[in-house]
Structures are given as structure tokens and as C-alpha cells.
Amino acid sequence: MTRHEEMQAYVRYYKRENKKTAVTMAEVAAAAIKMGMKAPPPLTSEERLAKQFAAAEREETNVDKKTQRPYRANLAYSLTDSKGEQTSFWVETDDASRNQAEMWMNKYREQMLGEAVIGTDTIEHWNRINPKEEPLQFNLDFRDEAEWRRNVPVEEEELV
């Protein structure tokens, strides 16, 4: 059993033992530690700071001077070295080469596709086990919503 499978089994156990259907992972982690599950080593200050820097870079947006549309200010892409170890690099969008931007775009699309697939499968499962409910529709055509959001007047953006 992998570490994640062990953790998933523990979450099911915890819910069953505490007669809960919804839990926080903080309460599950606290209970697991009390029962003797080994917690991972704490992050070093450097690792924690690196994660905070990555979060800050991921969050930053700029506004295109011509179109006045926001865009990601920084792009993350990964390279694998000769030992098979992967390293993430960050580059400002305005400084990115075509190859760097393409690597970011492909990774971003793969993440979106993965979310669409699991979302579709999850809703199909929910519909199957709830046959008396009106089936939920998981619409994958985002063209209209994307265009609508791209054209919301600036003063209305805070309401979206």
C-alpha cells in the first residue's frame, strides 16, 4: 500500500469512527498523529520560503498596455536533468522565449484537461448513483463564459 493509499484509508476510518461525512484534513492529521502515524519532517525555512515565493509568482498578474486585459506575469515550466530529476523554473512572461511559453502553455492545458476529465467522470458517477435526482450536466464548452468574463466592464469585475 502506498503512503497516499494508507492516508486515504485512514480518512475513511476516521470518518467511520467519528460518524462524519465531511471532515477537515487538519482534524484528520491531528488524530492520525495521536494514533502514531509518522508526520513528515517539517519544511526547512528555505523550503517554506521557496513555496511562498512560488505562490507569489503564481498570483501576480499584469495588464496588457494595448488590450487592457490581465495576464499572468510569470510562467513556470519544468526541465528534467540527466539524472531524471525535475526542476521548476520561473520566467516573466515578457522575458519568456517561445519554447518557455510553449512549455507553460502545454502544462497549463494538461492541467485543465485533467480537471475536465475528472470533473466529467465525477459528475457521471454522481448522476449514476442518484438516479432519482435530475442529472447534473458538466458542460465543457467554456467559450461563452470566457468571452463574457473577458468583456465584463472594469467596474463590474469585483462582482464576478
Side-chain angles (χ1 to χ4, degrees), residues 68-135:
Q68 298 302 302
R69 294 191 185 277
Y71 65 92
R72 292 203 182 274
N74 307 293
L75 307 178
Y77 63 95
S78 299
L79 294 177
T80 305
D81 66 17
S82 59
K83 298 175 189 170
E85 294 181 21
Q86 204 172 52
T87 303
S88 292
F89 293 89
W90 288 85
V91 61
E92 287 186 31
T93 301
D94 294 353
D95 296 332
S97 68
R98 178 184 172 86
N99 188 48
Q100 291 166 329
E102 188 173 28
M103 284 190 286
W104 173 84
M105 179 187 69
N106 290 336
K107 181 176 130 189
Y108 195 70
R109 284 184 54 82
E110 280 297 316
Q111 291 169 348
M112 292 170 63
L113 178 58
E115 291 299 315
V117 169
I118 194 68
T120 300
D121 290 345
T122 301
I123 292 306
E124 284 181 1
H125 169 77
W126 187 90
N127 287 338
R128 186 184 59 72
I129 66 167
N130 292 281
K132 293 181 180 171
E133 297 282 346
E134 181 179 347

